Amino acid sequence: MSTVIPVPDNWKSLFSSWDELRHGYHAGDKDETVRGCARRLDATAPGSGSEGDPVLFWTLGLLMLAPYVAFGNPGPGVEDEVVAVLSRVARGDDGRTCAHGWHPYEVDVDDVLELLPDCLEVLSSPVNQALDDLLPEDLLPEAHLDELGDEDAEPANLSGPEILARWQCPRTAPGFARAALDYLGATVG
């Protein structure tokens, strides 16, 4: 049974650990948690030879960990390792275009971080679930949908399945990698 986006079997425990670290109460080795996510992303990123694995999942993990990397005083080399792998992923779309006028990485990063626990629950669900019941607020912060105001603008006029297609777009992981780099005050290298 496939899922909407590829995730590792232990994604919930990983996510819980990342969320703890983001909120400042992670009891484990913080730097190793960040490095572990960076290594997994590096192993699945474009050009790694095992592309197509959960690149988006690991990119979202580093996005979640970016506040710690930016403000939590990580050890030597941690930020450099994170920036290097995020830069590689950010370059992964090679200027590709798609038919989508909007992507989830265009939402405010802090809003995305708050929504990620619920969003990943939806994104990691089996594909054969009833997508007709999928609501836009299942996949985007409701505040973002409200801010748009214009019902004709994307994503305000999109259905849940249409927003899901934007999450699955090959440009989404590179976009979130750029958002994480922006959070870190770094540029695509």
Side-chain angles (χ1 to χ4, degrees), residues 12 15-16 24 31 48 55 65 76 84 91-92 96 102 110 115 122 127 133 138 151 162 171 177-178 186:
K12 288 183 182 183
F15 186 85
S16 176
D31 290 350
S48 67
V55 173
L65 296 168
R91 290 188 303 269
R96 248 184 293 195
W102 170 90
D110 292 320
L115 178 71
V122 172
V127 171
D133 295 333
D138 292 334
E151 289 184 16
E162 290 170 321
R171 295 185 62 209
R178 286 188 297 277

Side-chain angles (χ1 to χ4, degrees), residues 46-188:
S48 67
S50 61
E51 300 162 35
D53 285 332
V55 173
L56 178 57
F57 175 79
W58 298 112
T59 303
L60 291 170
L62 284 183
L63 179 64
M64 279 197 77
L65 296 168
Y68 166 74
V69 176
F71 307 112
N73 197 25
V78 172
E79 184 172 358
D80 293 340
E81 188 174 339
V82 168
V83 167
V85 70
L86 285 171
S87 291
R88 194 163 118 216
V89 172
R91 290 188 303 269
D93 68 0
D94 294 325
R96 248 184 293 195
T97 59
C98 67
H100 306 133
W102 170 90
H103 294 85
Y105 58 80
E106 296 175 49
V107 175
D108 179 77
V109 171
D110 292 320
D111 290 343
V112 170
L113 292 174
E114 288 304 315
L115 178 71
L116 269 180
D118 296 331
C119 192
L120 276 174
E121 188 69 44
V122 172
L123 292 172
S124 67
S125 297
V127 171
N128 63 2
Q129 70 184 7
L131 292 180
D132 292 337
D133 295 333
L134 192 60
L135 301 172
E137 55 269 20
D138 292 334
L139 298 168
L140 289 176
E142 210 163 334
H144 181 70
L145 292 168
D146 292 341
E147 285 172 11
L148 293 170
D150 182 3
E151 289 184 16
D152 294 331
E154 282 191 18
N157 67 335
L158 298 176
S159 68
E162 290 170 321
I163 293 172
L164 180 62
R166 271 65 170 184
W167 275 99
Q168 294 170 317
C169 179
R171 295 185 62 209
T172 298
F176 275 120
R178 286 188 297 277
L181 288 166
D182 286 347
Y183 202 95
L184 296 171
T187 58
V188 178

